[in-house]
Amino acid sequence: QNVNEFPPRFPVSPIFTVSESISGGSLVGLLNATDADADTNITYQVLQASPFFDVNLATGAVNLKPGMSLNFSTQAVHEF
């Protein structure tokens, strides 16, 4: 039985800064967690869904959703 003795950790806080002019579907950043358990595949999970961003649960890639755009004058910060 595989027991998760060491939960995954983010060595660097996952904060991304992007231009307001990025296109829908563009890569915003990559989440990068490490896990001390041997033979562990990390799966990412979004606890609070965002209407603006998608997270690839297998790779940790964070993308602006296709068709979406950012407007910093109406919302300067997005957290999820």
Side-chain angles (χ1 to χ4, degrees):
Q1 179 180 0
N2 184 5
V3 176
N4 189 14
E5 298 166 327
F6 304 100
R9 300 273 184 234
F10 287 95
V12 177
S13 180
I15 297 174
F16 305 111
T17 302
V18 297
S19 168
E20 183 176 33
S21 63
I22 73 168
S23 301
S26 295
L27 179 68
V28 171
L30 290 171
L31 300 173
N32 184 21
T34 58
D35 194 324
D37 289 320
D39 301 325
T40 300
N41 291 324
I42 294 175
T43 302
Y44 297 90
Q45 178 182 9
V46 178
L47 299 179
Q48 181 179 343
S50 167
F52 293 94
F53 302 97
D54 282 324
V55 176
N56 182 304
L57 303 182
T59 67
V62 179
N63 292 79
L64 182 63
K65 287 183 178 180
M68 297 303 292
S69 61
L70 301 175
N71 183 339
F72 292 168
S73 62
T74 58
Q75 187 170 354
V77 175
H78 297 268
E79 295 183 53
F80 61 96

